[in-house]
Amino acid sequence: MSAIKDIDVKEGVDQETVDAVREVGGEYKYGWNTEIEMEYAPKGVNTDIVRLISDKNEEPEWMTEWRLAAFSRWENMQEPNWAMVSYPKIDFQDQYYYARPVSMIEKPKSIHDVDPKLLATYDKLGIPLKEQMILAGVEGAEDAPTTPRKVAVDAVFDSVSVGTTFKDELKKVGVIFCSISEAIREYPELVKKYLGSVVPVSDNYYATLNSAVFSDGSFVYIPPGVRCPMELSTYFRINAENTGQFERTLIIADKGSYVSYLEGCTAPKRDVAQLHAAVVEIVLEEDAEVKYSTVQNWFPGDEDGNGGIYNFVTKRADCRGDRSKVMWTQVETGSAVTWKYPSCILRGDDTQGEFYSIAIANNHQQADTGTKMVHLGKNTKSRIVSKGISAGVAQNTYRGLVSMHPKAKSSRNYTQCDSLLIGDKCGAHTVPYIEVKNNSSRVEHEATTSKVDDEQLFYCRQRGMDEEEAVALVVNGFCKDVLQALPMEFAMEAQQLVAISLEGSVG
Amino acid sequence: MLKIRNLKVSLEEEEKQILKGVDLTVEAGKVHAIMGPNGSGKSTLSYVLSGRDGYEVTDGSATLLDKDLLDMEPEERAASGLFLAFQYPVEIPGVGNMTFLRTAVNGQRKARGEEEMSAADFLKEVRAKAKILKIDADMLKRPVNVGFSGGEKKRNEILQMAMLEPKMCILDETDSGLDVDAMKLVAQGVNALRDEGRAFLVITHYQRLLDHIKPDVVHIMADGRIVKTGGPELALEVENNGYADILSEVM
Ligand SMILES: Nc1ncnc2c1ncn2[C@@H]1O[C@H](COP(=O)(O)OP(=O)(O)OP(=O)(O)O)[C@@H](O)[C@H]1O
Ligand SMILES: [Mg+2]
């Protein structure tokens, strides 16, 4: 049976894609709201709010100072406007910066104390049953041999982390996987050493704001030589209205370690746009390897462009140690506005960075996304495969920087950037920046733009697929190189998302 | 099975009539062949029947098992049992041949309100049918028609037909580009599907295909009309004398 499953996943769309499309009937699937009593900090951001967030998380003084320093920088910064996106001016004082379920005020002693409504929310999000049981604290759930592969989950609901599964099992091999607020309290030395070392406080407008007001997020430490025994995963959920989500993720892969990390995101439907400004930092020491996969499915706004998530994210990996290797894979189907460039700093010699991306923009969505490959060390290699799909009146921009520094001798980059247009009112743009400052390095860039071919659609339909199945099949074929780079569970989910997010794009 | 009455079709883009009143009836269980000079409208007829965009039906009707074909979406026609083996099969990069087939089979089953085929049953059946057509496992995994040779594409069309088990099969020049052995394989594939409840409309230029797939009726199409209908001997006449005699006789 498992061999059959393999074929389905590798070859493109499978039955479930089609079922998923039917099931959601073209509507955003995760658009419901959980009725939970919330505690909010007052609207707006100022030093009091920064202190309050720090205080709520029971942070030590150094952390409060770190935040305040970031805040005073942010106050003197300008919102960037170079990306190919346009949106109404965000009133940063009209947002809540902190919201948490009242049931979380007393930190649950164990997962047993978590509000069942929260757990029900994660259930609806399709977090696998086993993790559900564990999140719900079912006795003996950890040992139940129900799933062939374990995935440890950290779930973040609005501003706070509600629970992390498989913690103890991970601890046995020395892996730390917990919320960042817990890490600040429990592992201050690690946090102090690495936080802000990849994405400095002053990096950019949104990252600086995040540094001041981040409320929670995930923390991962993999000790030297350890291959993390399971996939680690974070689900982010924005539930509360008018609330920005500013999560912070810090992953440290020590010498010779390996981890695969998955991130999934959803939000309810609201007709007012919501802000999401996350920072992800990954540190790789010698010979470490990290795979970071994202399936981003924030609410994209309705067909007329109302509401949706404004997604301004800074993700960066620093391959500090020689021979370390990082791979970013992302499937971006949601958000009204996306501004996101997961980057690789190839500092060590013989380090490698890879970036695989599918970005889908439908209706009024705007995506400006890509990557930066900064080659600093000798013999460094990077590879970029970007698949952009535009439909409706959406605008999709790939923006990528490849930079070969003078010391990055004999380095290589290969970039392949393909755009697919559905209909004739949407746009695709490719903006490559290439800097080569030594003469032994090589950069290759290939770009294509094509339209969904009517002949292909007719061929599929003559064989019995309806128009939407046909589009999903053809588009999944177009994205195949990237889908293959995802862990298997995510590949399935991603295929379904591709189908769902293109609903209504033809005909 | 298939009834076409006075079918007149123009191009949507320009004022150009291509089918000028086609009359044709194909009974269940029969094999009909259509021959005719290049550009006479044979492929156009097959496209109009299967619902491709770009044509405007200005007059006439076409029914499959008494259902109005021209009123249906292409996928509804397919689910009702219409299959077209394309003169030029289409390539779909990145989509595995097997995935394509399975999506198609289950798409039709769902449209007809039938159970979907399980992955295991599907695999078993597809392997068995591929074997008969000498399509190897590698070709089943490769993206649909991408990098297939001309002959491989045509055999792949027949595999799709065998899996979908349609009622009315239209084969548009399936013999072109086939070597002698492949032609025999394709003919075998078709003959294996010949059945009381199924009919074939075989568009071809050559008698050699009809040596292997014996037609019951042969039609000659010229300038957008069926101008002559006869038995298998009509194909031989074309083979020996070309179209000149027939055309001068009817024009
Ligand atoms: N989209 C189109 N635009 C312009 N002319 C067209 C179009 N489709 C068909 N035609 C014309 O209609 C006529 C019939 O074409 P069709 O492909 O049906 O012929 P055929 O009988 O299948 O020929 P062959 O034996 O060469 O395959 C031709 O003159 C062709 O040029
Ligand atoms: Mg033709």
Side-chain angles (χ1 to χ4, degrees), chain A residues 11 13 455 459 461 463, chain B residues 52 73 84 99 157 160:
Chain A
E11 291 197 347
V13 159
E455 291 295 316
Y459 191 61
R461 294 178 74 188
R463 296 303 183 246
Chain B
R52 189 181 190 229
E73 295 293 332
L84 169 62
T99 305
E157 294 289 287
Q160 294 176 11

Side-chain angles (χ1 to χ4, degrees), chain B residues 11 14 16 18 37-44 55 87 173 205:
Chain B
L11 292 176
E14 49 186 298
K16 183 175 173 190
I18 296 179
N38 293 132
S40 54
K42 303 180 298 295
S43 293
T44 302
Y55 306 100
Q87 184 171 0
E173 294 195 30
H205 288 295

Side-chain angles (χ1 to χ4, degrees), chain A residues 220-259:
Chain A
V220 176
Y221 173 77
I222 317 287
V226 171
R227 221 187 135 79
C228 188
M230 64 187 80
E231 245 137 26
L232 303 183
S233 151
T234 303
Y235 275 81
F236 293 116
R237 170 86 179 159
I238 299 181
N239 191 62
E241 214 161 344
N242 287 327
T243 302
Q245 185 158 3
F246 302 90
E247 79 270 350
R248 184 106 193 175
T249 300
L250 177 58
I251 298 174
I252 302 150
D254 215 325
K255 289 179 188 164
S257 68
Y258 167 85
V259 66

Side-chain angles (χ1 to χ4, degrees), chain A residues 112-131:
Chain A
H112 300 259
D113 301 332
V114 173
D115 188 336
K117 276 192 194 154
L118 281 180
L119 298 176
T121 299
Y122 286 103
D123 179 37
K124 264 184 151 176
L125 293 174
I127 295 180
L129 181 71
K130 181 149 181 199
E131 280 81 66

